[in-house]
Amino acid sequence: MSQERTEGDLRNTGLSLKHDREWDYEIDRIVEAVEERDAETVGLQFPEGLKRRGPAVTDDLRETLPDDVQVMMSGQPCYGACDLDTYMMRRTDVFVHFGHSPMKESDKIIYVPLFSNVDVFPMMERATEEKLASPDEDPDVGLVTTAQHMNKFDEMRSWLEERGYEVHVRKGDDRLTHEGQVLGCNYASADVDADQILYVGGGKFHPLGLAMEHPEKKVVIADPVNNALTIADTEQFMKQRYASVHKAMDAEQWGVIFCTKIGQGRWEKAQEIVENNDDAYLITMDEVTPDRLTNFGMDAYVNTGCPRITTDDGPQFKKPMLTPGEYEIAIGEKPLDSLEFDTFHGTW
């Protein structure tokens, strides 16, 4: 008799498998690209959580590629397809970006989304039994997931439809590659005609952002990676954001951050803030961290780069770090109750 799995039990989720079975690194496709381009250098970029897998993937490629082909790994921070190592891109014949789907297609870049082999359906079944309204009560449900589970998205949709749900999906905007896909900064795919959204994927990073962007919707988190089923709760987040705005209301000098990463810059927004505030100063940087800002000595900062830096890392900064919308509240241009989640749209 099989034992009941509890939250955090990783058996049979894929995380206990060896690296070459847990994710599909598409080694054959990379080797084929090297041969077609007669490449001499290959650059590999992994997101932070998968950098430790880099040496194993490099070994797999070395075993297959000619000895004179050099394979190198990017050590630059990477949190999305908006965060490409442009230095490595310019200096390698083949550049491979792992863990994300294309935000903008390019012949120069090979995107390997790392599709997961985790079985999503046991957790989806729990979601329909415990958290989602029944089809008789409310048949409308939105379905979203991340790039890692897009290989099973059509099956997920059919699975819900077979159980009587009317599944609402859409692609969102140009920043998104697939129908039903969400990013940490973009939840346009959840803008559907349904009061409940089923998120299938690992962790709470994406669904919490989704719930903040769509506070009117019930967001059910079916996490097959960590064997967890919850409802997204944004109360603690909202308290933190209101506190940051209040602290910034007395600020006299503002640092306005423009992020130089290829897919995270909002130059027009940064310029607009500085042009309309004589006490605002434009600061350009690639990686936005508390240590890098300390020596500027500003009273508060506005981040026009990745919104998750503000919302997720905000408490780590010694001075208030606000989104552009929160800044408008802090200086009195908008009421406090207009506070909303900051999202990113479009590509570079």
Side-chain angles (χ1 to χ4, degrees):
M1 180 180 296
S2 61
Q3 294 180 325
E4 182 179 354
R5 290 169 57 205
T6 59
E7 181 172 336
D9 184 347
L10 304 182
R11 288 172 296 170
N12 301 321
T13 64
L15 292 187
S16 61
L17 301 176
K18 294 181 180 179
H19 80 274
D20 59 340
R21 291 184 58 207
E22 182 179 336
W23 309 103
D24 181 5
Y25 291 95
E26 302 186 40
I27 299 297
D28 292 343
R29 184 156 72 99
I30 299 171
V31 171
E32 182 179 345
V34 171
E35 294 173 347
E36 289 179 352
R37 304 177 193 183
D38 196 21
E40 297 180 355
T41 54
V42 179
L44 309 179
Q45 184 181 29
F46 296 87
E48 294 309 288
L50 288 174
K51 276 187 166 61
R52 66 186 183 278
R53 306 299 177 92
V57 176
T58 300
D59 285 341
D60 287 345
L61 287 170
R62 284 173 172 171
E63 291 177 4
T64 308
L65 295 172
D67 292 339
D68 59 349
V69 176
Q70 183 180 37
V71 182
M72 63 191 80
M73 296 179 289
S74 171
Q76 293 297 324
C78 177
Y79 300 97
C82 57
D83 202 354
L84 302 175
D85 186 340
T86 54
Y87 183 91
M88 175 178 275
M89 283 175 57
R90 291 192 296 268
R91 288 161 178 80
T92 52
D93 301 317
V94 173
F95 177 76
V96 187
H97 180 88
F98 292 94
H100 305 103
S101 58
M103 193 167 287
K104 190 172 185 178
E105 293 287 356
S106 170
D107 294 336
K108 175 67 177 177
I109 308 168
I110 296 176
Y111 288 94
V112 178
L114 296 180
F115 290 133
S116 172
N117 64 5
V118 172
D119 185 358
V120 299
F121 298 106
M123 194 53 61
M124 288 182 65
E125 186 167 4
R126 279 190 57 193
T128 59
E129 294 174 350
E130 302 175 26
K131 300 297 183 182
L132 287 175
S134 69
D136 293 335
E137 181 182 353
D138 183 1
D140 297 306
V141 60
L143 176 64
V144 296
T145 188
T146 59
Q148 280 66 51
H149 301 285
M150 288 308 308
N151 56 325
K152 296 183 179 179
F153 187 77
D154 289 340
E155 293 180 61
M156 295 182 207
R157 180 176 183 174
S158 297
W159 190 93
L160 288 169
E161 290 174 341
E162 289 170 0
R163 282 151 183 80
Y165 287 99
E166 183 174 346
V167 183
H168 298 263
V169 298
R170 66 187 297 264
K171 178 178 178 292
D173 63 21
D174 292 340
R175 204 170 179 85
L176 300 161
T177 310
H178 305 288
E179 187 178 60
Q181 180 188 6
V182 292
L183 303 175
C185 63
N186 188 304
Y187 306 96
S189 292
D191 188 15
V192 295
D193 189 18
D195 294 329
Q196 53 183 349
I197 303 291
L198 177 61
Y199 165 84
V200 182
K204 296 182 179 180
F205 177 82
H206 294 87
L208 280 178
L210 193 162
M212 290 182 282
E213 170 71 0
H214 296 281
E216 77 285 358
K217 298 182 185 294
K218 174 184 177 182
V219 179
V220 177
I221 307 171
D223 181 348
V225 177
N226 299 296
N227 191 34
L229 179 67
T230 55
I231 301 292
D233 183 1
T234 63
E235 181 179 359
Q236 184 61 36
F237 165 83
M238 294 304 294
K239 288 180 178 179
Q240 291 177 351
R241 299 319 309 152
Y242 280 123
S244 294
V245 172
H246 276 291
K247 290 178 182 178
M249 286 180 174
D250 295 327
E252 295 182 1
Q253 287 188 323
W254 291 84
V256 181
I257 300 169
F258 171 75
C259 183
T260 57
K261 291 186 177 183
I262 190 170
Q264 296 185 13
R266 285 183 281 186
W267 179 248
E268 291 79 8
K269 175 58 69 175
Q271 280 187 310
E272 177 187 339
I273 295 173
V274 173
E275 289 174 357
N276 291 292
N277 187 340
D278 291 338
D279 295 315
Y281 302 86
L282 187 60
I283 302 172
T284 66
M285 57 200 318
D286 55 356
E287 193 72 9
V288 184
T289 65
D291 290 343
R292 288 189 169 193
L293 293 178
T294 297
N295 291 333
F296 284 104
M298 301 290 179
D299 299 317
Y301 296 89
V302 188
N303 173 34
T304 66
C306 174
R308 297 309 291 253
I309 294 172
T310 307
T311 58
D312 294 28
D313 300 336
Q316 300 177 24
F317 290 87
K318 297 178 181 179
K319 298 292 184 178
M321 172 72 75
L322 306 187
T323 67
E326 292 170 346
Y327 164 77
E328 293 177 334
I329 296 174
I331 63 174
E333 290 187 356
K334 288 185 177 180
L336 189 60
D337 60 9
S338 67
L339 191 149
E340 60 184 9
F341 188 67
D342 185 29
T343 55
F344 229 110
H345 297 277
T347 61
W348 55 93

